[in-house]
Amino acid sequence: MPANQQILLDNRPQGEATVDNFKLVTNDTPALSEGQVLVKHHFLSLDPYMRGRMNDSKSYAASQGLGEVMIGGTVGEVVESKHPKFAVGDKVVGMGGWQQYSVVDANQPGALRKVDTTHVPLSHYLGAVGMPGVTAWYGLVKIINPKAGETVVISAATGAVGSAFGALAKARGCRAVGIAGGPEKCKYAVEELGFDACIDYKQHKDMYSLAKALKEHCPNGIDGYFENVGGMILDAVLLRMNAFGRIAVCGMIAGYDGAPLPLTNPALILVNRLKIEGFIVSEHMEVWPEALTELGTLVATGKLRPRETIAEGIASAPEAFLGLLKGKNFGKQLVRL
């Protein structure tokens, strides 16, 4: 059996995560039992939610176990199968973790999904046509539920979730405004992702300055906001929300190192009768087929052109992950295995 390089969570972060929290090991892949398949991973997905799992604290999902392979989405191909529905060579997406191979019990519902790479590149099934894309779809369609002509805003606009959100919002006739860090990301958001405007939050030192820029680019106010970061950006957006606005809370990356994120003006929630709803996309598996069909079509027809930042080799995953938390990636952060 092939040797399998794996990255384990070695110890929990104290404050900011570091490369020393991880450990690279090599193990043999075990022999397969009936119903199992061996998957060779081609790409590993790196996502902000993984930072929360590293803490030993109450969250929406169980903490990552110490000494265990880090959790993560993967795409690859079946190299050995003891399951009738999976053949050697099948391209599959699953939660294989930070390792080169995984043994999957293919009888478990949803553990492994075959994908078609005719019109959609394999790696996109970890981004635009995968969990991040469905995340954007759910927050926009089910929580914000915009009407044509409404204005929607998203933070982290050029990340894996944000890129899909822009295309989905434009398909529904909305004005889509992004918030991202740096002129290059903002240019990409407008020129390639189809956003009507994008605000560089790095140009704004406080919430009032950012709120002024939002007023300029959202002259009719903000009807829907998709939250990925929290902190000053959320405070600024709240100042511009319209009455009966909807906020989908997906992430709070500004607070992932442990300190709570205070809200400056919560009275605005009452004044504007806002609906604020947090969600976890894996709890809504019933929408995945519909969402993936739309996202796959947007990619295949060139209406969604996602970018990827690709680190090479499993050993590069910790550094790439820490860079993602600081916004160093452009688009979806992947590791090529």
Side-chain angles (χ1 to χ4, degrees), residues 259-313:
L261 283 180
L263 195 57
T264 306
N265 201 346
L268 290 167
I269 298 168
L270 172 61
V271 172
N272 287 321
R273 287 85 83 206
L274 301 179
K275 170 178 143 181
I276 301 181
E277 185 176 333
F279 73 101
I280 307 301
V281 75
S282 56
E283 294 174 351
H284 303 282
M285 297 312 289
E286 73 286 349
V287 307
W288 281 56
E290 184 187 350
L292 290 170
T293 300
E294 181 176 356
L295 291 157
T297 304
L298 287 170
V299 169
T301 54
K303 290 187 178 132
L304 170 51
R305 299 210 294 271
R307 258 204 217 184
E308 296 170 331
T309 298
I310 298 176
E312 298 292 340

Side-chain angles (χ1 to χ4, degrees), residues 15-333:
E16 205 170 302
T18 70
V19 288
D20 297 330
N21 298 138
F22 304 96
K23 183 180 182 184
L24 180 65
V25 299
T26 304
N27 284 307
D28 291 331
T29 53
L32 297 187
S33 310
E34 282 308 312
Q36 291 185 327
V37 298
L38 178 65
V39 179
K40 181 178 201 254
H41 302 153
H42 291 197
F43 291 96
L44 162 67
S45 171
L46 297 178
D47 299 279
Y49 76 81
M50 297 169 175
R51 176 63 189 84
R53 299 281 182 97
M54 292 169 74
N55 297 337
D56 187 17
S57 60
K58 182 187 179 305
S59 186
Y60 58 80
S63 293
Q64 167 76 44
L66 286 177
E68 292 178 10
V69 176
M70 276 290 292
I71 187 172
T74 48
V75 287
E77 68 179 296
V78 174
V79 288
E80 192 188 337
S81 176
K82 288 201 170 180
H83 193 284
K85 289 199 174 136
F86 291 92
V88 170
D90 281 349
K91 300 291 190 289
V92 290
V93 56
M95 291 295 284
W98 295 27
Q99 54 185 345
Q100 292 170 306
Y101 293 88
S102 61
V103 173
V104 183
D105 174 2
N107 287 318
Q108 266 194 317
L112 213 54
R113 187 165 58 87
K114 277 193 253 193
V115 292
D116 181 357
T117 55
T118 317
H119 300 293
V120 176
L122 183 62
S123 58
H124 284 7
Y125 285 106
L126 290 176
V129 194
M131 182 270 290
V134 181
T135 300
W137 191 95
Y138 189 89
L140 179 72
V141 176
K142 295 297 184 183
I143 297 177
I144 295 172
N145 187 20
K147 298 181 186 69
E150 287 193 326
T151 297
V152 294
V153 174
I154 186 168
S155 48
T158 60
V161 176
S163 344
F165 183 91
L168 292 165
K170 291 314 293 176
R172 282 160 180 77
C174 298
R175 177 171 176 79
V177 176
I179 301 172
E184 198 192 345
K185 285 184 178 178
C186 285
K187 183 169 185 260
Y188 165 66
V190 174
E191 292 181 4
E192 285 187 53
L193 293 177
F195 280 90
D196 294 288
C198 187
I199 297 164
D200 178 2
Y201 71 84
K202 292 183 175 176
Q203 300 295 316
H204 301 281
K205 63 186 186 306
D206 59 36
M207 65 188 237
Y208 298 107
S209 169
L210 183 56
K212 193 176 167 196
L214 283 164
K215 185 176 183 180
E216 184 187 328
H217 293 295
C218 308
N220 299 323
I222 299 169
D223 300 296
Y225 175 53
F226 192 109
E227 175 60 291
N228 284 311
V229 295
M232 174 190 98
I233 292 178
L234 176 56
D235 285 331
V237 169
L238 281 173
L239 290 169
R240 302 299 318 146
M241 288 297 295
N242 287 332
F244 306 105
R246 291 82 64 197
I247 298 178
V249 182
C250 169
M252 289 267 170
I253 202 168
Y256 283 1
D257 289 333
L261 283 180
L263 195 57
T264 306
N265 201 346
L268 290 167
I269 298 168
L270 172 61
V271 172
N272 287 321
R273 287 85 83 206
L274 301 179
K275 170 178 143 181
I276 301 181
E277 185 176 333
F279 73 101
I280 307 301
V281 75
S282 56
E283 294 174 351
H284 303 282
M285 297 312 289
E286 73 286 349
V287 307
W288 281 56
E290 184 187 350
L292 290 170
T293 300
E294 181 176 356
L295 291 157
T297 304
L298 287 170
V299 169
T301 54
K303 290 187 178 132
L304 170 51
R305 299 210 294 271
R307 258 204 217 184
E308 296 170 331
T309 298
I310 298 176
E312 298 292 340
I314 189 75
S316 70
E319 284 279 12
F321 174 62
L322 299 174
L324 162 79
L325 294 176
K326 293 199 165 20
K328 291 183 180 169
N329 59 304
F330 211 118
K332 173 74 203 167
Q333 179 67 60

